[in-house]
Amino acid sequence: MKTGAGSRQSLHAVIVSLLEACWLLLAILVPLWVNLWAAHPFGPSKAALLRLLVGLEFALALTATLLSGRGPWRYVPSVLLWSVGLLASVILLASLTGVSFSLSLWGSLERGQGTFTHLSYLVLFLIIAAYCGSDTRQRHLLIALAATGVPIVLVGVAQALGWRPLPLLTDARSSVFATLGRANFVGAYLTILLPLTLALMLTSEEEAHRVALAGLWIGELIVLGLTETRSAWLAAAVGMSLFALLTWGGRLLGRRQPLAWVGMTALALSGLLGAVWLGTRQQGSSAARITIWRATVQLVRERPLLGYGPETLALVFPRVFPPELVYYQGREFFVDRAHNWVLDWMVSTGFVGLLAYVLVLTVWAVLARQALRSAKHTWQRPLLAGAIAAVGANLTNNLLSFDVTPTATATWMLMGVVAARARARGSRGEGSDTALLPRATLWRKAAALLLASLVALSLFVVNGRLLLADVDAKRAVDLARAGRPEAAMTVARRAVRRWPTEPAYHESLSRLYWDQARRAPDPLPWLERTERALDMV
């Protein structure tokens, strides 16, 4: 009897360990992964990796549920579960009623922030909140997130000095884009890492570790400055102020603590107000943001309830494109984000989606307060403060910018850690995460294995086809430049077959046909192929 109980307990421990391995891989690989063989090495590749690993976590959680009869919802506060379920339902409904279901479902080729990606964030959040209840796992996750700052700082400094450790280019104002694609994305990600790195430094027991973390924190500040991203500078100031207030505010400020909270809120809003003021003065990017906000408000008024669907702003924005935006950003300026998380949620999912998202944030804030109050050890409060401050910094940055896969993944993971800490109510041992499982019948084991395998395999195939299609798209361009048009067309057709809903692949194939028509003695057959390729878009 003891042997059976021990084996069931060991099985649950193995599943939880595999879940931990997946979210640690996510924390490390998503910001650092760059697909050098793809036409779009950053956004879609990172989003596909996220969806794949979260899918594996979902399959593992499904296996644990079928084997034990206990779902992860047993370990998550019901109010949080319902709020996340409401947000997921609204995102799905907005996708179904939007202007382009396929685009909303998978996201754009540039960003990859479609419905599946958003649902992956929510699943990851709930899994961490349910299974990351022990102090050890939480600290491991925070260390993994902070460790990504090392290569980002090193690559960022190298790029600032003119070196090119990665054979990639960027059209951003700053050349510091590291492994995230643009300088503003690097700045946004570093605002998340700054309070985490400081929290780990303050709670480290080894002097060598504290010195190393202090050096990393200084390096993050330097690279943040090199990005020339003003929204990230503001977010870093808010994040560090929030960390100091949560960590030492009660002891140092006493009754003046409410004034400190008012001051920090004013600091967060000052950036937004400053951007509005600069925009009215018609100065550069600030004026462009104000112009985009005004045009986006017009779109929101047309579909206020559920919006146009995720990732569809680029489709509908040309209808309200302001002519003055050309003078601020040039003719090639592409608007696919409102550069404000409130407007982005409204244009994508309407007021209903915005309210659902704010509800999740509100519930999470209540749980964060409970977690801070229940922190029993001196090292717990700084780590919690670092996680909460990182989330606050990202929200502040997104008042003037937007999330990409690395920043959104880190934010939802940190929110999950805080929710898990609130669930744990202080120091909770490992035994709570490896609770005894009921005896599983043979059919339940078989069903668990079959369903988990199908989920994992389907996600691997779908996301793998997306990645391979983008690799083919780049290879087709390279072959065309090398003077091999027939091979280029063959590879381009394969990219279309692998991902037929992406218009960019059809356009690339059509361009290859057009070039062949210009060279051929009889251009008519090639012109017909050119037209058919575009008709499929």
Side-chain angles (χ1 to χ4, degrees):
M1 189 70 178
K2 290 182 179 180
T3 302
S7 64
R8 295 195 301 275
Q9 192 175 43
S10 299
L11 178 60
H12 195 205
V14 168
I15 292 175
V16 175
S17 297
L18 290 174
L19 286 169
E20 181 184 14
C22 284
W23 69 57
L24 290 178
L25 284 174
L26 275 168
I28 296 172
L29 293 181
V30 168
L32 302 182
W33 162 244
V34 178
N35 191 355
L36 298 176
W37 301 272
H40 299 80
F42 298 106
S45 299
K46 294 177 184 293
L49 178 65
L50 166 80
R51 293 191 295 263
L52 176 59
L53 289 177
V54 172
L56 292 177
E57 288 205 299
F58 179 77
L60 289 170
L62 179 63
T63 301
T65 301
L66 291 174
L67 291 177
S68 66
R70 297 177 180 176
W73 52 83
R74 293 173 60 93
Y75 312 115
V76 179
S78 58
V79 62
L80 181 63
L81 187 64
W82 282 106
S83 62
V84 171
L86 175 63
L87 178 58
S89 301
V90 173
I91 292 173
L92 283 170
L93 186 59
S95 302
L96 291 171
T97 60
V99 295
S100 175
F101 176 69
S102 62
L103 179 60
S104 293
L105 192 64
W106 293 104
S108 67
L109 192 60
E110 184 70 23
R111 311 292 183 200
Q113 300 300 300
T115 301
F116 277 170
T117 304
H118 281 290
L119 294 181
S120 297
Y121 295 142
L122 298 181
V123 170
L124 178 62
F125 169 52
L126 290 179
I127 286 177
I128 292 178
Y131 293 106
C132 193
S134 71
D135 298 333
T136 303
R137 292 195 180 97
Q138 292 169 11
R139 191 174 184 89
H140 286 170
L141 179 53
L142 298 183
I143 291 174
L145 287 169
T148 61
V150 176
I152 289 175
V153 167
L154 293 177
V155 174
V157 171
Q159 291 170 339
L161 294 174
W163 300 339
R164 291 292 176 265
L166 295 175
L168 299 169
L169 298 175
T170 179
D171 58 352
R173 177 173 53 186
S174 172
S175 60
V176 179
F177 60 91
T179 58
L180 286 92
R182 292 183 67 87
N184 53 333
F185 302 157
V186 175
Y189 190 74
L190 290 178
T191 62
I192 296 174
L193 295 189
L194 280 171
L196 286 183
T197 306
L198 185 57
L200 289 170
M201 181 185 69
L202 294 176
T203 57
S204 180
E205 297 179 354
E206 299 290 337
E207 183 177 358
H209 294 168
R210 290 196 296 270
V211 172
L213 287 167
L216 176 59
W217 188 77
I218 294 172
E220 290 168 353
L221 278 178
I222 293 173
V223 175
L224 177 62
L226 293 173
T227 61
E228 303 180 26
T229 308
R230 286 167 290 184
S231 61
W233 296 344
L234 171 68
V238 171
M240 296 310 300
S241 300
L242 181 57
F243 175 78
L245 187 57
L246 293 174
T247 305
W248 303 293
R251 295 195 302 268
L252 299 179
L253 298 175
R255 295 181 179 179
R256 294 188 295 273
Q257 190 173 359
L259 293 177
W261 281 100
V262 172
M264 194 197 64
T265 304
L267 176 64
L269 294 177
S270 65
L272 184 63
L273 296 176
V276 172
W277 181 80
L278 289 175
T280 59
R281 306 288 294 180
Q282 296 186 352
Q283 295 186 11
S285 60
S286 299
R289 279 186 174 86
I290 298 300
T291 306
I292 292 173
W293 292 349
R294 290 172 178 168
T296 304
V297 169
Q298 297 180 32
L299 293 173
V300 171
R301 289 174 179 171
E302 295 178 7
R303 297 186 65 155
L305 192 60
L306 290 172
Y308 298 85
E311 287 275 64
T312 56
L313 181 59
L315 287 181
V316 297
F317 193 83
R319 293 197 291 105
V320 294
F321 194 96
E324 61 269 26
L325 195 57
V326 175
Y327 297 98
Y328 299 145
Q329 297 291 325
R331 294 183 180 275
E332 301 299 324
F333 188 62
F334 178 69
V335 179
D336 64 344
R337 290 294 186 277
H339 291 80
N340 177 274
W341 65 264
V342 176
L343 290 176
D344 275 323
W345 275 101
M346 283 197 295
V347 78
S348 298
T349 58
F351 282 98
V352 177
L354 175 63
L355 291 176
Y357 179 64
V358 171
L359 177 62
V360 173
L361 292 179
T362 303
V363 173
W364 176 81
V366 173
L367 293 176
R369 185 178 181 184
Q370 293 177 3
L372 286 170
R373 287 183 173 181
S374 62
K376 296 180 180 179
H377 302 294
T378 55
W379 57 268
Q380 286 180 347
R381 189 173 186 89
L383 291 179
L384 273 172
I388 296 170
V391 175
N394 189 54
L395 287 173
T396 302
N397 180 75
N398 289 340
L399 288 173
L400 298 169
S401 185
F402 55 91
D403 258 330
V404 289
T405 304
T407 58
T409 301
T411 300
W412 284 106
M413 293 178 89
L414 291 171
M415 290 175 64
V417 168
V418 174
R421 172 53 54 187
R423 170 181 66 84
R425 295 188 176 277
S427 178
R428 185 167 178 164
E430 296 283 344
S432 61
D433 281 337
T434 57
L436 182 63
L437 296 177
R439 186 182 300 277
T441 60
L442 180 60
W443 72 266
R444 182 178 288 180
K445 291 180 180 179
L449 180 62
L450 178 61
L451 285 177
S453 301
L454 288 176
V455 169
L457 180 62
S458 60
L459 288 169
F460 179 81
V461 169
V462 171
N463 289 285
R465 288 179 67 88
L466 188 153
L467 290 174
L468 290 174
D470 211 41
V471 170
D472 285 336
K474 182 179 186 301
R475 188 162 178 263
V477 173
D478 294 339
L479 288 171
R481 290 175 179 173
R484 300 175 58 188
E486 294 293 338
M489 286 184 287
T490 300
V491 175
R493 284 192 292 267
R494 190 168 61 200
V496 170
R497 288 195 301 271
R498 281 176 167 163
W499 206 253
T501 60
E502 178 50 55
Y505 299 153
H506 292 274
E507 181 184 358
S508 179
L509 178 60
S510 176
R511 188 180 296 113
L512 290 173
Y513 287 151
W514 168 253
D515 291 338
Q516 189 69 14
R518 294 170 60 186
R519 294 188 296 264
D522 183 12
L524 185 58
W526 293 106
L527 291 175
E528 292 176 350
R529 294 184 184 184
T530 301
E531 186 177 5
R532 284 200 302 270
L534 290 177
D535 286 341
M536 296 172 65
V537 176

